[in-house]
Amino acid sequence: MIRTLLTVLGKEFMETVRDRRSLLSSLVLTPLFGPLLFAGGLSLSMNRAITSLDDAIPLAVAGADHAPNLVHFLRQRGFTLTLQDADDAGLRAWIAEDVERVVLVVPEAFGTQLAAGEPARLQLYADASNSRAERYARRTEQALQEWSSILASLRLQARGISPLVVQPLVVDQVDLSTPTTRSTLVLGMLSYLIVLATLLGGMYLAIDATAGERERGSLESLLTLPVPRAHLIYGKVLASALFMTIALVLVIITSSQAITYIPLEEIGMSANFGPAIALGVFVSMLPFTLLGAALLTVVASFTRSYKEAQTWLGAVLVVPTLPILVAGLLDVKAAPGLMLIPSMSQHLLIQGLLRGEPLSAAFLAVSGLSTLTLGVLLTLLAGWLYQRERILG
Amino acid sequence: MIEVENLGKSFGEVAAVQDVSFKAGTGRITGLLGPNGAGKSTTLRILYTVLRPDRGRALVDGIDVVRDPLGARRRIGVLTHSAGSYRQLTARENIRFFGRLHGMGGPTLERRIDELVSKLEMAPFADRRTAGFSQGQKIKVALARALVHSPAIVLLDEPTNGLDVMATRALRELIRELRAEGHCVLFSSHVMQEVAALCDEVVIIDRGRVAASGTPAALQDRFGGTSLEETFVQVLGDQEGLA
């Protein structure tokens, strides 16, 4: 049996390694470019968020002459002001021209209202459906509120009343999140990527070894050999698992490298993905390769052609990623019971590792054993499926 | 030696093989002749154990193919209908893979592969990947891997399908050589000239039953035809099953 397994494993391995296209899609595209795209996209959006904090906010002011002090205050607060007088229709047309424009309108009555101690009215024109304009408008409003409370304090002091009288409550927020726990939210996507890349690594081999072999007409000859059919299919499952392991190693290496390019520190986060963590992730994920390979092989066995197998397996890839999605949405915490659920348990273990928590040996054992058990059962099912006459198609 | 007794096999409503019995002797070439869909392939597939019969039994060298499929498979070499090979492996690697699964290995296997490569005149393409091989080259790879373990019994399902004249002649020569070496050769065909030119024994199958069997000469005598083709038409003549 061992000899048959190794012979089939060696042949499947050789065939896949020599097929450049399937090698490219199973080992290069997702494991290599997945983390790079992930890190690239993340750092791009972070850079944007970081720089926008310090950005000068462009703001147009209509009727600036009616509020020279306010205009001075806004300039001090770092706003880039454009003085632009127009009526309501003119302003609307002007904003329609460039939806990112935000205009503050100071009516003629502003000065008199302010002097009389009445609420002085201002108008802020912005297209809130544009995210940038919405942000500019919010920042403008914050600045105006600030100016408003300064005025209020000054008025109270002028009447001999402490401004503290109108401030009965002060809330101080104490943020207990460490940089590492905060980054877990961002890095939660990473375990999803690792599981997906691992599965994709063995998908082509699983299809080729079953539906592909049938389509090319080599399956029938193979079944005339004096070895039990089940042993042939076990060899194919192992070959697929081997490729998943290679994809796993690649995706862990690229992920740990790619993470260093994300500017996590700049937003007060830190990533913990050194060699020890990488090894932990590998050990947590290893039993999953057998389960993934057996699952894909079982599904591919039901399909009639390569194309049909590709369609089905594409859909099946979603199944192991569902528990991860659920765990992410409900913010599930690691628990012994959850370690029984494959892919959920791997996700939780990886999350813990990235968060810098020590790897629980008990959790690892429960996760590994339950995943392996299901993997072996599915492998046996694949072997049983190949006993049927219908497997010839 | 192949013995087939009252074989029957249905796929749902379709009775592919209804009642087939024949013997194919050692050192002889036996041809299964019949129109398309007569049940030739199904009979062969039962013999090489990928299908199980509903009724009757089939023995190869006295081994029941249902009771001991592994034992039966050790004694047979099979050229299946669609004899695809592994495109990313060379011809030699394809043969080696089959040899290993037959339990062979080491210098014995390599010597046997060399032997087959020269016997089937595969030297020019033996170390090339089989993707892009011509039909004739593909058949040679499939034949070599079927013969790698020197089986006593050789089963060929429409071996000359898609071959040109020269390749067909070469294949016939090879089948004669196999007979000379003492193999029991059973092949299926719907081409009468081929069967007439090669076979010691002919089994004519129609609609899942044996319509007639015997040596080509005996069949001609019995049905009074001047050639095997005429005999074939006469045997099947009054039936509309001729496709």
Side-chain angles (χ1 to χ4, degrees):
Chain A
M1 175 171 175
I2 301 291
R3 190 191 154 91
T4 305
L5 291 189
L6 288 180
T7 305
V8 174
L9 179 73
K11 172 250 168 190
E12 299 291 352
F13 185 83
M14 183 74 89
E15 254 199 309
T16 312
V17 166
R18 284 190 186 164
D19 186 353
R20 273 200 211 125
R21 249 188 311 173
S22 62
L23 200 64
L24 192 74
S25 64
S26 46
L27 293 188
V28 179
L29 289 186
T30 325
L32 237 53
F33 289 124
L36 291 182
L37 282 177
F38 168 75
L42 203 61
S43 56
L44 201 71
S45 71
M46 276 186 174
N47 279 331
R48 212 169 130 175
I50 293 161
T51 48
S52 61
L53 276 176
D54 319 323
D55 264 359
I57 308 283
L59 177 69
V61 182
D65 299 342
H66 308 132
N69 286 335
L70 176 59
V71 169
H72 182 69
F73 173 80
L74 288 174
R75 282 216 168 97
Q76 271 189 331
R77 277 288 173 272
F79 283 81
T80 311
L81 296 188
T82 327
L83 305 184
Q84 166 90 21
D85 286 336
D87 58 354
D88 179 73
L91 288 176
R92 279 170 196 276
W94 198 53
I95 287 175
E97 213 174 90
D98 179 357
V99 288
E100 287 186 7
R101 280 176 182 151
V102 177
V103 187
L104 178 69
V105 180
V106 187
E108 225 182 303
F110 183 78
T112 16
Q113 285 174 339
L114 209 60
E118 292 168 21
R121 307 203 87 83
L122 291 169
Q123 278 144 8
L124 194 59
Y125 282 62
D127 181 351
S129 67
N130 181 285
S131 70
R132 208 179 275 254
E134 198 260 351
R135 204 171 69 230
Y136 293 160
R138 211 174 49 229
R139 295 282 296 277
T140 310
E141 217 183 311
Q142 279 168 7
L144 291 173
Q145 284 297 339
E146 209 182 315
W147 195 61
S148 171
S149 56
I150 291 172
L151 279 186
S153 301
L154 288 174
R155 281 178 184 177
L156 287 173
Q157 277 175 340
R159 286 162 179 76
I161 303 169
S162 163
L164 295 178
V165 168
V166 291
Q167 202 179 16
L169 214 64
V170 175
V171 180
D172 290 326
Q173 288 197 352
V174 185
D175 189 357
L176 288 182
S177 69
T178 66
T180 319
T181 57
R182 244 175 289 158
S183 59
T184 316
L185 275 175
V186 180
L187 302 178
M189 282 194 304
L190 204 60
S191 66
Y192 179 84
L193 192 68
I194 290 173
V195 169
L196 196 69
T198 304
L199 285 171
L200 279 174
M203 185 173 95
Y204 268 83
L205 204 150
I207 296 176
D208 207 56
T210 52
E213 180 133 30
R214 183 168 24 195
E215 197 166 82
R216 285 193 308 263
S218 52
L219 180 63
E220 198 162 338
S221 300
L222 187 63
L223 297 183
T224 66
L225 293 169
V227 283
R229 288 183 184 187
H231 295 182
L232 295 172
I233 203 69
Y234 297 160
K236 288 171 185 292
V237 171
L238 282 183
S240 177
L242 177 64
F243 260 84
M244 288 192 184
T245 309
I246 296 173
L248 174 64
V249 171
L250 285 177
V251 78
I252 289 176
I253 292 173
T254 30
S255 296
S256 63
Q257 291 307 307
I259 263 189
T260 57
Y261 292 103
I262 305 177
L264 289 169
E265 288 75 17
E266 293 191 37
I267 54 166
M269 298 181 176
S270 78
N272 190 359
F273 208 148
I277 302 296
L279 187 68
V281 172
F282 178 74
V283 173
S284 309
M285 276 296 290
L286 195 59
F288 189 75
T289 58
L290 179 70
L291 174 62
L295 175 71
L296 297 188
T297 306
V298 164
V299 175
S301 305
F302 283 108
T303 57
R304 296 256 158 263
S305 68
Y306 206 98
K307 265 213 163 112
E308 201 189 331
Q310 267 179 315
T311 314
W312 274 101
L313 261 53
V316 168
L317 279 185
V318 178
V319 176
T321 53
L322 275 180
I324 299 181
L325 230 62
V326 172
L329 287 175
L330 302 180
D331 195 21
V332 176
K333 294 277 170 294
L338 292 175
M339 287 297 136
L340 290 170
I341 308 171
S343 96
M344 167 95 82
S345 66
Q346 277 82 22
H347 167 72
L348 294 173
L349 288 174
I350 295 174
Q351 290 294 291
L353 283 165
L354 292 180
R355 218 181 283 142
E357 295 165 7
L359 189 61
S360 152
F363 279 9
L364 186 65
V366 174
S367 158
L369 275 178
S370 65
T371 306
L372 268 183
T373 308
L374 195 61
V376 168
L377 286 178
L378 276 173
T379 307
L380 293 175
L381 175 65
W384 178 79
L385 284 171
Y386 267 71
Q387 308 295 331
R388 305 174 312 156
E389 286 180 357
R390 281 190 20 218
I391 207 71
L392 290 174
Chain B
M1 174 82 166
I2 298 170
E3 293 155 281
V4 172
E5 293 164 12
N6 308 107
L7 220 51
K9 174 75 183 175
S10 301
F11 300 103
E13 297 284 290
V14 185
V17 172
Q18 302 203 33
D19 185 11
V20 168
S21 305
F22 66 87
K23 282 183 186 175
T26 305
R28 292 174 76 83
I29 302 173
T30 308
L32 286 179
L33 182 64
N36 294 323
K40 306 183 295 288
S41 281
T42 305
T43 306
L44 282 176
R45 283 173 135 189
I46 292 170
L47 273 170
Y48 60 71
T49 76
V50 299
L51 295 181
R52 291 165 72 93
D54 301 333
R55 294 181 305 281
R57 58 176 198 155
L59 308 175
V60 296
D61 277 350
I63 296 170
D64 191 312
V65 298
V66 176
R67 289 211 193 118
D68 182 11
L70 290 188
R73 282 185 224 158
R74 265 181 219 112
R75 279 164 180 79
I76 57 174
V78 186
L79 181 73
T80 57
H81 192 68
S82 52
S85 51
Y86 301 112
R87 299 158 51 85
Q88 300 299 336
L89 302 187
T90 67
R92 217 180 265 277
E93 285 165 344
N94 266 284
I95 305 167
R96 191 176 294 130
F97 175 58
F98 271 56
R100 287 230 177 102
L101 289 178
H102 269 294
M104 303 166 74
T108 324
L109 176 59
E110 296 311 313
R111 260 203 309 280
R112 177 63 182 156
I113 294 172
D114 286 339
E115 221 175 278
L116 287 164
V117 164
S118 76
K119 183 175 186 170
L120 294 168
E121 290 165 1
M122 294 168 68
F125 54 88
D127 293 303
R128 263 171 42 201
R129 295 191 198 176
T130 66
F133 269 23
S134 73
Q135 188 63 23
Q137 291 168 329
K138 278 184 199 161
I139 294 278
K140 282 185 174 178
V141 174
L143 258 175
R145 71 180 184 200
L147 299 175
V148 67
H149 57 303
S150 313
I153 292 163
V154 181
L155 305 174
L156 312 162
D157 196 356
E158 311 230 357
T160 55
N161 248 6
L163 292 188
D164 60 25
V165 182
M166 291 312 291
T168 306
R169 284 174 68 103
L171 184 67
R172 283 184 196 159
E173 206 40 58
L174 180 84
I175 292 177
R176 288 201 186 94
E177 272 176 44
L178 289 173
R179 170 177 60 188
E181 289 164 14
H183 294 274
C184 164
V185 182
L186 176 66
F187 79 96
S188 71
S189 176
H190 60 266
V191 184
M192 282 138 300
Q193 294 88 332
E194 189 169 277
V195 175
L198 268 174
C199 292
D200 304 311
E201 198 86 29
V202 181
V203 180
I204 300 178
I205 296 187
D206 181 45
R207 300 191 209 178
R209 292 173 196 278
V210 174
S213 64
T215 63
L219 281 173
Q220 273 178 46
D221 283 349
R222 209 166 113 205
F223 293 95
T226 51
S227 69
L228 189 66
E229 177 164 346
E230 238 172 87
T231 310
F232 184 60
V233 172
Q234 266 181 323
V235 170
L236 308 174
D238 51 337
Q239 300 165 357
E240 285 168 38
L242 204 52

